[in-house]
Amino acid sequence: MNLQVLAVDDSRTMRDMIRFALEPVGFTVHTADDGIHGTEVLSQIEPDVIITDINMPRMDGFGFIDAVRDRSEHRSTPILVLTTEAAPELKMRARAAGATGWIVKPFDPMKLVKALQMVTG
């Protein structure tokens, strides 16, 4: 199962951790360092699932989720929020914007893999 993943996070360390967690189990990981870069990468690939941080420069995760959902071809692409934030109101805001799920950093690599497998069916 070769799923395409777009991981958007301003932390190079987080992008590397996501890549190290996912590539060994067969995911192809594309990365972007903020929401604007994420929308640029999104124009070039067809991800099966998107992972995004919330707190990023230029365009935050909420803006990025909105930008993804504005594209008809990505209205149903699963989006997982991977963030240090755990506030219920932020989770509700992310869901309202169109996020599929929420994972708090630091993450367990196997839980991330399982979450991606669940949302991609």
Side-chain angles (χ1 to χ4, degrees):
M1 174 174 65
N2 182 7
L3 292 174
Q4 303 280 321
V5 178
L6 171 56
V8 184
D9 198 303
D10 58 322
S11 161
R12 176 184 298 271
T13 303
M14 274 317 296
R15 293 193 305 269
D16 288 346
M17 286 174 66
I18 292 167
R19 185 182 305 266
F20 294 145
L22 300 181
E23 285 183 346
V25 293
F27 289 89
T28 299
V29 180
H30 305 272
T31 59
D33 50 27
D34 63 29
I36 298 221
H37 187 208
T39 60
E40 292 164 359
V41 174
L42 192 58
S43 300
Q44 301 158 17
I45 64 168
E46 287 292 321
D48 296 293
V49 62
I50 297 168
I51 300 170
T52 184
D53 189 13
I54 289 295
N55 300 313
M56 298 181 287
R58 297 204 304 162
M59 179 191 284
D60 70 7
F62 296 117
F64 176 67
I65 293 168
D66 287 340
V68 171
R69 292 301 184 223
D70 282 346
R71 299 182 185 194
S72 58
E73 69 272 26
H74 296 298
R75 292 241 163 82
S76 61
T77 304
I79 301 174
L80 288 179
V81 175
L82 181 62
T83 182
T84 55
E85 303 287 347
E89 61 272 14
L90 291 177
K91 288 183 189 178
M92 284 172 28
R93 185 174 162 200
R95 280 231 186 261
T100 312
W102 188 281
I103 298 172
V104 177
K105 296 176 189 172
F107 67 93
D108 173 328
M110 285 316 299
K111 284 187 179 155
L112 180 62
V113 169
K114 283 197 178 4
L116 292 178
Q117 289 168 337
M118 278 175 52
V119 299
T120 56

